[in-house]
Amino acid sequence: MTMKHKEEQKQTAEWREDDSAAMKWMEFPREVLIGKNVLNDVPAVLNKLKISKKVFLVTGKNTLDVAGKRIKELVENNGGVCEICVSEKASPEEVLKLTEAGKAFEADCFLGVGSGRSIDLAKISSKNCDVPFISIPTAASHDGIVSARASIHSDGKSESVEAQAPIAVIADTDMISKAPFRLLAAGCGDVISNYTSVLDWELASRHQNEPFSRSAAMMAYMSADMISNSADLIRPGLDSSARIAVKALVLSGAAMSVAGSSRPASGAEHMFSHALDRIASKPALHGEQCAVGSIMMMYLHGGDWEKLRDSLRQIGAPTSASEMGIEDEEIVEALLRAHTIRPERYTILGSDGLTPSAAEKMAVVTKVITG
């Protein structure tokens, strides 16, 4: 075999896609504004995208005062009409309510204004109404601010569903830096967990012949590197810290768009987090749980879990059960159930999961529990 032939084979393997992948569209925001006081640019973005007349705004009780009322004023001063709906929970019933309200209003677009729930509801409801939506995060708590996936809660369970990516992202770092720092640290944890997500995806590609996109994987790794390499710079109340976190979250969301799935940013550590949501009497934040799960999954992969843990500690994110306010027994039980959360998704946990002794050992070795 010639050197040229070997190189061609290598390139074919690196960029291998299944036939259906070529038919998938990659959704990206057309406009991404990240910076201080960019909330004031909402009218300009709406005008540029030609969706400024009838704006349906989804927000929460707290974020209504933080940003919702201000955005309504900006839209109406720009000659548009803005309908505000205050959401209470991300449930199928709430999606139906918002969809019907959006259609009755004949909305040109949806704005999701909040830290998570409101954005998820806006991205699903806007898709149901066949209109675009704009993501306006008030906190950088997870990478859902850009992704085409959304979390819906029903019967005590959290389910990831297909929605649509935002046509624009407007992230005011001044506003985000004033949100509780715990939310920012959780967002950083969600991005850092991409390290193990990609390892699981590569494993599935080798063991299950699952389609794998090297470009999407590289983007996910880059977003994790952005946080890990800047861990000493991420501090409470700093506009610069919010800027780093949001850029990493946007890149992580873009990686999912390239992949056409959540694969580059959701592996066994996310399955652990979803299991913990069902088991723990008081679950922690999504990004916190994913980060702690990533420490343990990196141990299983034989990687440098201590470096990952140290980056989280530098940021000020929790790295143990006690720091998350979760019982040791709940951590072990979540590890044992994690492989059942998305059985179709192959990860380091395999199809049979962990034995109780293996689950406890990895949690003790990584100092997630005391043992």
Side-chain angles (χ1 to χ4, degrees):
M1 183 182 294
T2 66
M3 184 63 69
K4 181 180 178 181
H5 189 199
K6 287 181 179 179
E7 183 62 27
E8 286 175 349
Q9 272 201 336
K10 179 182 177 184
Q11 289 177 355
T12 300
E14 287 180 347
W15 297 97
R16 175 177 54 79
E17 300 279 359
D18 65 359
D19 292 338
S20 63
M23 301 299 293
K24 294 178 181 176
W25 290 97
M26 291 186 288
E27 294 182 292
F28 296 103
R30 284 173 53 185
E31 302 288 328
V32 178
L33 278 68
I34 302 172
K36 197 169 185 177
N37 299 323
V38 296
L39 199 66
N40 295 326
D41 293 324
V42 168
V45 172
L46 292 172
N47 289 340
K48 186 173 183 180
L49 297 172
K50 296 179 173 56
I51 50 174
S52 60
K53 299 304 179 185
K54 303 191 79 172
V55 178
F56 194 86
L57 190 155
V58 182
T59 191
K61 290 181 180 179
N62 295 330
T63 50
L64 175 64
D65 291 327
V66 172
K69 292 178 181 178
R70 172 62 178 153
I71 294 172
K72 177 180 172 66
E73 181 184 354
L74 288 167
V75 170
E76 295 182 343
N77 286 344
N78 188 48
V81 180
C82 183
E83 179 83 7
I84 291 183
C85 185
V86 178
S87 62
E88 296 183 1
K89 57 182 179 178
S91 66
E93 294 77 18
E94 192 76 359
V95 170
L96 179 61
K97 184 183 89 171
L98 292 173
T99 299
E100 292 177 346
K103 288 180 178 178
F105 181 60
E106 297 181 339
D108 292 321
C109 69
F110 276 58
L111 304 187
V113 182
S115 61
R117 179 185 67 241
S118 299
I119 290 174
D120 280 346
L121 288 169
K123 71 173 71 169
I124 302 173
S125 303
S126 62
K127 182 184 180 183
N128 293 342
C129 292
D130 196 25
V131 297
F133 100 96
I134 294 177
S135 176
I136 306 179
T138 56
S141 56
H142 61 79
D143 59 12
I145 64 175
V146 182
S147 77
R149 307 291 301 182
S151 293
I152 292 297
H153 302 275
S154 180
D155 298 326
K157 298 179 181 179
S158 176
E159 181 183 3
S160 177
V161 300
E162 184 180 353
Q164 68 172 336
I167 194 171
V169 179
I170 303 173
D172 191 316
T173 52
D174 182 59
M175 177 175 65
I176 290 171
S177 66
K178 292 174 181 174
F181 181 69
R182 182 187 176 191
L183 297 176
L184 186 76
C188 292
D190 196 13
V191 174
I192 280 182
S193 74
N194 287 359
Y195 283 133
T196 49
S197 299
V198 173
L199 288 175
D200 279 334
W201 194 14
E202 290 176 330
L203 196 67
S205 177
R206 293 195 299 271
H207 289 212
Q208 303 288 316
N209 201 34
E210 183 176 320
F212 179 83
S213 168
R214 189 166 296 277
S215 53
M218 287 176 64
M219 291 170 70
Y221 260 122
M222 284 172 61
S223 65
D225 280 343
M226 285 176 66
I227 297 298
S228 183
N229 295 339
S230 303
D232 60 330
L233 302 176
I234 298 173
R235 294 290 178 267
L238 295 181
D239 180 86
S240 58
S241 298
R243 190 184 299 265
I244 292 168
V246 172
K247 284 183 177 179
L249 290 166
V250 168
L251 184 58
S252 182
M256 288 185 268
S257 290
V258 170
S261 77
S262 62
R263 251 307 191 180
S266 178
E269 74 295 321
H270 274 63
M271 291 155 65
F272 161 77
S273 176
H274 291 312
L276 203 52
D277 286 337
R278 302 180 185 186
I279 293 165
S281 55
K282 188 178 180 182
L285 296 176
H286 169 77
E288 293 174 335
Q289 294 181 168
C290 289
V292 170
S294 194
I295 295 171
M296 293 185 287
M297 300 312 157
M298 186 62 83
Y299 168 82
L300 277 188
H301 277 286
D304 193 349
W305 60 269
E306 291 175 305
K307 181 180 178 181
L308 194 157
R309 180 200 60 193
D310 292 346
S311 292
L312 291 167
R313 283 180 174 174
Q314 266 193 308
I315 293 167
T319 60
S320 67
S322 61
E323 290 173 352
M324 290 194 296
I326 292 175
E327 298 297 324
D328 288 358
E329 295 77 13
E330 293 172 333
I331 294 289
V332 174
E333 183 61 28
L335 287 171
L336 294 175
R337 290 197 201 180
H339 71 287
T340 68
I341 298 299
R342 297 193 67 173
E344 79 285 357
R345 178 160 288 188
Y346 190 83
T347 70
I348 190 67
L349 297 174
S351 57
D352 296 325
L354 301 170
T355 64
S357 60
E360 184 172 359
K361 178 185 176 182
M362 67 184 286
V364 170
V365 170
T366 57
K367 297 181 172 56
V368 170
I369 66 174
T370 55

